[in-house]
Amino acid sequence: MSHFEYDSLGSTTALPVDLDEAAHRCLVAGFDGAASVPDTLKELIDRGLGGVILFTRNVRDAGQVRRLTDELRAIRPDLLVAIDNEGGGIGHLVAAGAPEVPGSYALGVVDDPNLTARCADALAGHLATLGISASYAPVADLQHRPDNPIVRTRSFGADPELAARHLLAWITATEARGIASCAKHFPGHGGTVTDSHHGMAVDPRPYDQLLADLEPFRAAVAAGVPMLMSAHVIFPALDPNRPATLSRRVLGDLLRHDLGFDGVLVSDALEMRAIADQYGEAAGARIALAAGADQVIVAVADLDVTLACRDAVLDALRTGVLAQERIEEAAGRVRRLAERYAAPPADVADWDAEAGLTAARRAVRSRGVPPAVRGAHVVDLFPSPYPALNWGGEDLLTEVRAVDPTATGTAVTGECTDPDALVEGIVGRCGSAPLVVATCDAGLHPWQARLRDTLSARRPDAVLVDTGLPEGGALCSYGRGRVNLRAVAEVLAGT
């Protein structure tokens, strides 16, 4: 039996069932809805779809997620169900009761691999209870540049040795739970000044300066990480013509040959503009698989985009543009991954629910703290969350009021049309109470820096707080996860 595909002229060309199934193995699809599996997705799974990726749009509560993952596996038991689950402010399972952990940068500040393992164990244990079998984490990128817009507190830091030991702890703990981890974004996104969600990112450094960025990935491979994710970044020193996701030199020569990785290499999402604007998702899927990727993620909820990517791969197989052997190799790796991880553990042991708050507190207090300011007016300046990454909704005032009900405050999530009036309103509402001004990556968002500086000029006694990377404030949370902000709130309230 064969599946028959129709080209634009109406003719048919048969692909053997096993090759059609292999091509579908190389796709990971996002979809809309939380109540049930769309019919189009069911058809893709029937034909061998390798995986699905869940987002906040698919999550209402823990019971609903488990019913959804059970329904998915009832269609095909060897389907991989994945999610981005880095911790901190990066995740999609807050409505499902996700364990609160502070994110990688705070863990790097604490530099206690055992505590990192406890946080990773909590995240992985929770995934196991939901029937989610793969976590696209941890981040192996090094945070080099203060103007990098995308890695930042998702990274363990700038030191490759520090990153390596925490990657080992994270991967080992996740593996012990029977969940597949994924180190990302190979060969590193930390040397760019562009977010590949929004455009093509380029890392212009010479080859010798890229070597440090490879070390965390080398450590992840040595730790037995089953998956790596590629970066939509051009490295002229490695391949001047194509981003890593589409480069044989990067995926083949560097990753497979030099680093010796034989697990599943998955692309970052193809609808990100670095790929979609330059190549289109469908061509991106074909080129990435030809270059050495084993799976490509089409995370957008519109399944027509996934179908277009699938059809481009099948067309390339029929015409010989894409080698059958390459797809069979990729599908074989995905099958081996599914054999190890597709079925969620039957029994899930408890995890340390306090590990995340413990880590966040240690990070915040790692460099000394200012005196308490109870009854303060808290001004929280932060950018709107990016929907592909953040669950959003966390704010510092809420956490401060949880430990100091006398506090008041103002949250500002974007540049306002009348900043002078905003400042006057804040100063008026604050009165003689202590003033706290919190910013999140003000160096990337000048409107925050302007408001902070104006408020500081009016109130030189204001306590400045950084909720992203440290930028000179009296306190730093090293991330905007709820426990990061709670740890800052406790210091401010003196609890």
Side-chain angles (χ1 to χ4, degrees):
M1 177 182 176
S2 296
H3 291 292
F4 286 86
E5 305 297 331
Y6 290 82
D7 64 24
S8 59
L9 299 178
S11 62
T12 63
T13 305
L15 279 181
V17 171
D18 56 352
L19 184 56
D20 184 88
E21 187 264 354
H24 282 79
R25 287 275 183 180
C26 297
L27 297 171
V28 177
F31 62 99
D32 199 11
S36 61
V37 180
D39 289 341
T40 300
L41 184 60
K42 290 179 182 178
E43 294 169 7
L44 285 166
I45 296 171
D46 279 334
R47 287 178 66 170
L49 185 72
V52 297
I53 180 170
L54 304 182
F55 288 90
T56 304
R57 63 182 180 242
N58 305 117
V59 177
R60 293 178 182 167
D61 56 58
Q64 166 269 322
V65 174
R66 185 63 201 229
R67 290 190 295 274
L68 181 63
T69 60
D70 286 346
E71 182 183 357
L72 287 163
R73 285 200 183 82
I75 303 168
R76 193 179 184 101
D78 58 356
L79 179 75
L80 288 161
V81 181
I83 198 165
D84 286 317
N85 203 46
E86 300 172 22
I90 309 298
H92 299 278
L93 291 169
V94 64
E100 295 180 355
V101 302
S104 295
Y105 202 93
L107 295 173
V109 168
V110 176
D111 196 14
D112 180 347
N114 179 63
L115 189 53
T116 293
R118 286 158 57 195
C119 290
D121 174 73
L123 292 175
H126 183 242
L127 292 186
T129 67
L130 300 177
I132 298 172
S133 50
S135 171
Y136 292 133
V139 169
D141 306 320
L142 299 180
Q143 172 52 37
H144 293 299
R145 304 181 57 126
D147 51 356
N148 179 288
I150 185 60
V151 174
R152 307 191 72 77
T153 58
R154 300 169 67 193
S155 166
F156 288 110
D159 180 352
E161 293 184 0
L162 178 145
R165 57 181 171 265
H166 289 275
L167 285 161
L168 173 61
W170 187 295
I171 292 163
T172 303
T174 305
E175 175 69 23
R177 286 285 188 178
I179 303 297
S181 57
C182 178
K184 60 188 185 184
H185 307 80
F186 184 82
H189 209 318
T192 72
V193 295
T194 301
D195 177 354
S196 53
H197 290 88
H198 302 305
M200 185 60 73
V202 178
D203 188 332
R205 292 176 295 164
Y207 179 76
D208 61 343
Q209 292 182 23
L210 299 176
L211 295 177
D213 294 67
L214 295 178
E215 289 310 304
F217 293 98
R218 200 180 301 275
V221 171
V225 71
M227 292 190 291
L228 291 180
M229 181 181 288
S230 63
H232 299 333
V233 176
I234 291 177
F235 299 85
L238 303 175
D239 185 337
N241 299 314
R242 284 186 170 173
T245 294
L246 310 183
S247 170
R248 284 191 178 93
R249 294 183 187 178
V250 175
L251 304 187
D253 297 346
L254 183 58
L255 178 60
R256 298 298 188 191
H257 184 268
D258 292 357
L259 268 66
F261 180 63
D262 194 38
V264 169
L265 189 283
V266 60
S267 79
D268 210 341
L270 294 180
E271 70 272 12
M272 292 166 62
R273 294 181 64 178
I275 299 299
D277 286 359
Q278 298 293 321
Y279 300 90
E281 296 93 335
R286 171 180 56 79
I287 298 169
L289 292 171
D294 300 307
Q295 285 190 313
V296 291
I297 296 177
V298 190
V300 65
D302 183 358
L303 286 167
D304 285 342
V305 180
T306 304
L307 292 174
C309 292
R310 186 276 310 274
D311 291 346
V313 172
L314 294 179
D315 287 344
L317 284 169
R318 281 196 297 269
T319 60
V321 171
L322 184 57
Q324 176 177 334
E325 294 78 9
R326 170 78 272 277
I327 292 302
E328 290 172 340
E329 174 190 51
R333 290 195 181 106
V334 176
R335 289 189 191 99
R336 291 192 293 274
L337 184 74
E339 287 170 1
R340 288 176 59 188
Y341 298 104
D347 298 309
V348 182
D350 290 338
W351 53 83
D352 182 356
E354 295 299 315
L357 184 55
T358 298
R361 287 168 171 161
R362 287 177 60 181
V364 166
R365 297 170 187 267
S366 63
R367 60 177 192 177
V369 298
V373 285
R374 292 190 69 83
H377 188 85
V378 177
V379 180
D380 192 13
L381 311 175
F382 59 99
S384 298
Y386 191 85
L389 298 175
N390 301 69
W391 56 58
E394 302 87 352
D395 69 274
L396 181 57
L397 177 61
T398 297
E399 299 306 320
V400 171
R401 287 184 57 82
V403 291
D404 178 11
T406 65
T408 60
T410 306
V412 184
T413 61
E415 188 164 7
C416 62
T417 57
D418 192 347
D420 292 337
L422 176 62
V423 168
E424 289 300 326
I426 290 171
V427 171
R429 286 191 295 274
C430 182
S432 61
L435 178 64
V436 173
V437 181
T439 55
C440 180
D441 297 331
L444 295 180
H445 304 284
W447 64 269
Q448 292 186 41
R450 290 192 294 268
L451 284 172
R452 177 198 62 200
D453 294 346
T454 303
L455 287 166
S456 295
R458 296 286 297 272
R459 286 287 303 268
D461 61 335
V463 177
L464 304 185
V465 176
D466 305 319
T467 63
L469 292 175
E471 293 182 311
L475 276 175
C476 186
S477 65
Y478 306 101
R480 287 195 64 92
R482 186 164 285 110
V483 286
N484 301 86
L485 301 179
R486 173 59 67 92
V488 166
E490 289 174 346
V491 171
L492 293 173
T495 61

